[in-house]
């Protein structure tokens, strides 16, 4: 072991002084006298033969060497705190932070969270809409639901479900354009989401699957950046949107939207579940993820491998 680590008590004092840029405030935090802080900093400087603080008028400031050491000490103490957290498991009750893409959050997750709260009223779920792959090991995120094929190291990752992709439209568009065969869709406004997770799930892919020859230069086209924007577009009667089943199934069930054809891109879009198995909140993480899987399973039918009911063909 590095013998310099025996000065960890002095480093604790140095860390407080560096954060506050004040010996007196550091003394208040550590419940010791300002003179004791000054002495400990002096001992540290003498041992390493380097000046860590310099006086700037009536205040103290870090020297270049002091700033370098302060950054390393702060990281080390942060890592220690993280380690302490990991060996202290919190009770089941408490706050749980869950993140998912903005569209999945608003279209699927948030409308169902009342069911979880009804069964587990002592677990408060905070839903965070984000398109990023957050670090569930070193952040306040407990559970992440992510779409796509990206693999994250050092965390638990499993496939939550695989979602088929298919066209949807309003009943009015269905009737006005007489969508009795896939070829007629090419005469509609085509709405397509672009961005993360869309590779292989475009209109070109769907028309190829439907065996429809198309002329891309003829299309009336609109691109959106989220599934939710596309769904809102077709709800207003604007064309046909190619979407993942989980984003629109409730609207299909209610009759607000129609799935005109039983032609869907499969296996479809992969949704993954990620969490840190060493999280201090692992007990409530397990409770939530079990509920999540049960809620997804409740949508399945024996003849539907996609996991979401087909309601219109």
């Amino acid at each position: 072991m590095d013998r310099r680590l025996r000065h960890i008590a002095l480093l604790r004092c140095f860390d407080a002084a560096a954060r506050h840029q004040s010996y007196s405030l550091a003394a208040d935090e550590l419940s010791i006298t300002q003179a004791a802080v000054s002495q400990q900093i002096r001992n540290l400087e003498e041992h390493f033969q380097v000046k860590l603080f310099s006086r700037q008028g009536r205040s103290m400031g870090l020297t270049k060497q002091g700033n370098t050491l302060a950054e390393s000490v702060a990281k080390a103490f942060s890592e220690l705190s993280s380690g302490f957290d990991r060996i202290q498991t919190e009770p089941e009750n408490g706050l749980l932070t869950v993140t998912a893409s903005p569209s999945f959050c608003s279209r699927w997750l948030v409308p169902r969270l009342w069911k979880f709260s009804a069964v587990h009223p002592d677990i408060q779920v905070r839903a965070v809409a984000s398109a990023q792959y957050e670090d569930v090991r070193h952040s306040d995120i407990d559970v992440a639901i992510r779409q796509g094929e990206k693999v994250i190291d050092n965390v638990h990752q499993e496939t939550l479900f695989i979602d088929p992709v298919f066209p949807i439209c309003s009943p009015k568009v269905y009737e006005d354009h007489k969508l009795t065969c896939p070829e007629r869709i090419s005469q509609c406004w085509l709405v397509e989401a672009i961005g993360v997770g869309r590779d292989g799930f475009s209109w070109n892919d769907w028309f190829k699957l439907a065996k429809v020859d198309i002329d891309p230069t003829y299309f009336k086209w609109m691109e959106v950046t989220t599934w939710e924007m596309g769904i809102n577009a077709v709800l207003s009667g604007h064309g046909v949107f190619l979407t993942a089943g989980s984003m629109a199934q409730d609207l299909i069930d209610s009759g607000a939207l129609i799935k005109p054809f039983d032609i869907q891109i499969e296996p479809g879009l992969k949704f993954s579940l990620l969490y840190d198995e060493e999280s201090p909140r692992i007990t409530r993480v397990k409770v939530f993820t079990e509920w999540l899987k049960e809620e997804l399973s409740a949508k399945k039918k024996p003849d539907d491998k996609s996991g979401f009911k087909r309601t219109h063909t």
Side-chain angles (χ1 to χ4, degrees):
M1 186 183 74
D2 192 326
R3 290 177 58 84
R4 291 171 294 182
L5 292 178
R6 68 180 185 272
H7 298 291
I8 194 165
L10 301 182
L11 291 174
R12 179 168 171 261
C13 183
F14 167 74
D15 175 66
R19 281 187 285 104
H20 293 295
Q21 298 282 288
S22 166
Y23 284 7
S24 62
L25 292 178
D28 291 341
E29 177 182 316
L30 300 173
S31 299
I32 58 178
T33 65
Q34 182 174 339
V37 171
S38 179
Q39 182 61 50
Q40 291 192 44
I41 298 298
R42 191 179 305 113
N43 291 343
L44 196 61
E45 290 177 328
E46 289 176 356
H47 177 79
F48 289 107
Q49 294 295 297
V50 66
K51 194 70 173 174
L52 299 173
F53 287 91
S54 63
R55 184 166 294 282
Q56 300 171 354
R58 300 183 63 181
S59 61
M60 300 295 293
L62 286 165
T63 64
K64 181 179 179 180
Q65 294 88 342
N67 190 63
T68 298
L69 182 61
E71 290 178 357
S72 296
V73 169
K75 290 178 182 178
F77 282 155
S78 177
E79 191 63 29
L80 280 172
S81 296
S82 178
F84 296 149
D85 289 342
R86 291 178 189 284
I87 64 173
Q88 294 180 302
T89 302
E90 296 181 15
E92 178 178 307
N93 301 339
L95 177 66
L96 185 77
T97 303
V98 181
T99 185
S101 69
S103 293
F104 190 82
C105 256
S106 60
R107 291 293 309 128
W108 195 93
L109 181 61
V110 171
R112 291 169 173 80
L113 282 180
W114 68 268
K115 298 181 182 180
F116 178 80
S117 296
V119 181
H120 303 283
D122 294 326
I123 299 179
Q124 295 79 47
V125 179
R126 178 173 62 190
V128 177
S130 171
Q132 305 301 317
Y133 272 79
E134 289 83 359
D135 185 350
V136 295
R137 283 179 60 86
H138 303 103
S139 71
D140 60 353
I141 300 295
D142 298 306
V143 178
I145 302 167
R146 286 288 164 247
Q147 62 190 55
E149 301 287 341
K150 185 173 180 179
V151 176
I152 306 298
D153 296 329
N154 301 320
V155 300
H156 175 86
Q157 182 171 356
E158 63 179 284
T159 299
L160 191 57
F161 66 97
I162 299 178
D163 212 4
V165 175
F166 51 79
I168 56 171
C169 64
S170 68
K172 185 177 187 304
V173 167
Y174 179 80
E175 295 295 336
D176 289 351
H177 289 271
K178 297 180 173 55
L179 299 182
T180 56
C181 61
E183 289 80 2
R184 297 193 66 85
I185 285 187
S186 63
Q187 302 173 19
C188 304
W189 275 96
L190 299 179
V191 183
E192 181 171 296
I194 59 174
V196 177
R198 293 295 299 168
D199 291 343
F201 306 112
S202 69
W203 274 114
N204 287 331
D205 298 308
W206 187 86
F207 281 123
K208 183 177 180 180
L209 183 65
K211 297 180 172 58
V212 175
D213 293 328
I214 57 173
D215 179 3
T217 62
Y218 172 76
F219 287 157
K220 294 175 289 184
W221 197 273
M222 183 175 75
E223 290 183 339
V224 295
T225 56
T226 67
W227 304 98
E228 187 176 20
M229 290 171 65
I231 290 170
N232 288 337
V234 294
L235 277 172
S236 67
H238 188 93
V240 186
F241 179 50
L242 198 61
T243 184
S246 59
M247 305 296 178
Q249 191 60 50
D250 60 329
L251 295 170
I252 296 172
D253 291 342
S254 70
L257 293 176
I258 285 177
K259 177 183 176 183
F261 304 105
D262 192 21
I263 300 173
Q264 52 191 25
I265 300 173
E266 296 187 75
L269 186 63
K270 179 188 287 187
F271 284 78
S272 297
L273 175 69
L274 299 93
Y275 59 84
D276 179 12
E277 292 181 297
E278 297 179 352
S279 166
R281 294 170 293 282
I282 190 62
T283 302
R284 71 186 75 136
V285 166
K286 292 286 190 180
V287 170
F288 179 81
T289 55
E290 286 303 314
W291 169 84
L292 185 63
K293 294 173 184 177
E294 290 173 3
E295 185 64 21
L296 287 165
S297 296
K299 291 294 180 184
K300 291 182 179 178
K301 293 180 68 178
D303 62 342
D304 186 357
K305 64 182 178 181
S306 71
F308 292 91
K309 296 187 290 184
R310 294 197 283 262
T311 61
H312 195 289
T313 58

